[in-house]
Amino acid sequence: MTIRVQRLDPLWRAYKDISRTTAGGLRASAFRRKSREASIATLVIAAAFALPSAARAAGGAAPQAQEAQPATEPAAASDNTPTSAEKTPSLRHGGMVRYDKPVFHNGHRVLWHGAWRDGGRAGETAAAPATKPESNAAAPASTRDILVLADGADASATRMAAEFAQAMQSGGLHVKAIAGKTSAAALDKVVDADSADLAVVPMDAMGDSSNGLTDKGADWRARAPYVVRLANEPIALIAPRAIADIHQLAGRKVNVAAADGATAASAAIVFSRLNIAPTMTNEPLSDALSHLARGEIDAIFVVGGGDSKALADFGKDGRFHIVSIPYAPALQALYCPMRLTSHDQANLIGVDDKVDTIGVPTALLAIDAAPDSPRTARIAPIADRLFAQFDQSVGVLRGSRWNDVNLAARILGWPRFGATQAWLDQNQGTPNAALDTFRGAAETAASGSDGPGGADSDKLYESLMKLSGAAQ
């Protein structure tokens, strides 16, 4: 039995007879009529898919006529960029997609298929004109957050930055604390990347960098005025009890945190000025403590460790202690004398013991904020709120090092940020002759002895006045 089918291409061509030859060579006219009716029904269904909408097919034009005409370009287009219809040869009609190659079904060519054959709505998305992505450009400098940088290896600085940012946020100001590195070299990179506005910075490396000049020749004294002087941060040198003197660390492994961080910069200054040459390693504090416990390194140099939980939990077995750092003349220009007790590190200092060490002066600096720079205007409201609301914000935080901050304390030889200096000038109150006399005496003593620096005189004077009042 043979069935002969004449393919109808295109579909709107006149219908041709379909014959069927039986085994005896006889024609079955009744069957031919039924076959003709079935074929007509098939043709109508195929034509319904091929001609989707008479309303859209102007003048009964064939689908090829629509495909041949490119989409009208927008009036605003002035270049030769292809339109979406030119880029996508498969046109769409009422949710249908044209096959990109000849396809036959039951002897008929099928021109269109549903969008689901291309993976759901994916084909529809591909045929749509490309949407221009939203711009990822950074927000204008006047609207983005004020970023406060603290060295990630300094737990106390990190905590102070976070407390400062939270206090400013509660006042409706957009301030965020971030962790990074605050050595002089690292701050050069911060300026290049414009990645911070304020920074909690140890001032020893800044003062030791050629009188405030970095390797790039930037005068930090002019470009980074201090908003407020912060409390001095003690240096803790942690080692086995067999090491009783810092000079025993010559040639031994001492961990100083990240190589380009502020702690490593301080360690380099201290060891260099004491003529000690240890082998420095650069691991995070938690890893360094583990290696010290296993005897793989000999000591750890830590700045601002009083707020480190990892350090507070270390040394419960009594094998380690804090080695004293002498307040030698070579260190006095950059550091101040400090004393640690068991209250500071209970596992490393005995109840009745005291360890003499040195402290690093720190400050909240306005980064790249010379008096005529745009950043100065942005930071001014932050600085003004810090001073105006100090006693209602960070100044009352329990256990915070902000409690030790004296807003009027100075850093000799370093300029104060203009807005804070203006605030102090407006709120200085009546002159205090006793304070001025005491301040002068403190500065004189500091220049020729191992006593407190002149910049600590205001805070010391306030403490003496409080003690005097309590004793009366």
Side-chain angles (χ1 to χ4, degrees), residues 21-407:
T21 304
T22 63
L26 301 177
R27 289 185 177 276
S29 60
F31 181 81
R32 184 170 59 247
R33 287 195 298 271
K34 291 181 181 180
S35 298
R36 182 183 293 112
E37 292 171 358
S39 299
I40 292 173
T42 303
L43 179 61
V44 171
I45 294 173
F49 283 101
L51 304 176
S53 174
R56 278 184 286 174
Q64 286 87 339
Q66 295 184 14
E67 183 177 3
Q69 295 181 3
T72 304
E73 289 189 359
S78 59
D79 55 12
N80 296 322
T81 303
T83 63
S84 60
E86 293 172 327
K87 293 178 182 177
T88 309
S90 298
L91 298 181
R92 305 183 60 82
H93 293 280
M96 303 297 292
V97 180
R98 185 180 178 87
Y99 279 113
D100 57 358
K101 61 183 179 180
V103 176
F104 295 90
H105 182 66
N106 291 333
H108 301 282
R109 183 179 179 181
V110 182
L111 301 181
W112 308 88
H113 67 80
W116 56 87
R117 290 184 182 273
D118 286 337
R121 307 296 291 180
E124 190 169 334
T125 303
T131 302
K132 185 177 181 181
E134 295 182 2
S135 174
N136 292 327
S142 59
T143 60
R144 72 169 175 82
D145 291 341
I146 296 291
L147 301 180
V148 185
L149 175 67
D151 200 288
D154 188 331
S156 293
T158 302
R159 175 181 173 181
M160 292 189 75
E163 291 171 341
F164 172 76
Q166 185 175 3
M168 296 300 103
Q169 290 170 5
S170 65
L173 299 174
H174 299 286
V175 180
K176 181 185 297 184
I178 58 174
K181 299 177 179 65
T182 58
S183 65
L187 289 179
D188 279 335
K189 298 178 182 179
V190 169
V191 171
D192 291 341
D194 192 22
S195 56
D197 303 281
L198 299 166
V200 179
V201 179
M203 297 301 293
D204 56 344
M206 304 298 289
D208 188 60
S209 183
S210 302
N211 295 323
L213 299 178
T214 66
D215 293 338
K216 293 178 61 176
D219 188 352
W220 282 109
R221 280 183 169 82
R223 299 175 58 193
Y226 70 98
V227 175
V228 62
R229 176 172 176 169
L230 305 177
N232 300 324
E233 292 191 349
I235 294 176
L237 188 59
I238 305 157
R241 292 192 176 275
I243 297 178
D245 188 278
I246 187 174
H247 291 86
Q248 292 178 249
L249 293 175
R252 300 195 180 191
K253 292 183 179 179
V254 179
N255 190 76
V256 296
D260 57 346
T263 298
S266 296
I269 295 171
V270 170
F271 285 121
S272 174
R273 295 198 172 205
L274 293 178
N275 296 317
I276 302 172
T279 300
M280 298 187 185
T281 63
N282 306 107
E283 297 175 325
L285 179 59
S286 57
D287 294 343
L289 290 172
S290 298
H291 293 164
L292 180 63
R294 294 195 296 266
E296 298 172 357
I297 60 176
D298 300 289
I300 303 176
F301 189 99
V302 181
V303 177
D307 291 294
S308 171
K309 186 178 185 304
L311 187 56
D313 294 338
F314 179 76
K316 295 180 180 180
D317 55 4
R319 294 188 296 135
F320 302 93
H321 71 142
I322 295 180
V323 179
S324 176
I325 301 178
Y327 189 55
L331 300 176
Q332 293 176 10
L334 300 175
Y335 301 95
C336 62
M338 297 193 74
R339 177 171 290 175
L340 299 176
T341 67
S342 60
H343 176 75
D344 301 299
Q345 296 294 340
N347 295 331
L348 301 174
I349 302 176
V351 176
D352 299 325
D353 295 337
K354 298 177 178 62
V355 178
D356 290 327
T357 186
I358 57 176
V360 183
T362 61
L364 181 64
L365 297 186
I367 302 300
D368 198 24
D372 57 347
S373 68
R375 178 170 279 123
T376 298
R378 294 185 60 230
I379 298 175
I382 308 294
D384 186 73
R385 178 172 179 79
L386 171 65
F387 275 55
Q389 301 294 324
F390 184 85
D391 291 335
Q392 292 77 37
S393 56
V394 292
V396 294
L397 296 176
R398 178 174 298 180
S400 172
R401 295 185 67 81
W402 283 101
N403 297 333
D404 299 327
V405 171
N406 173 22
L407 296 178

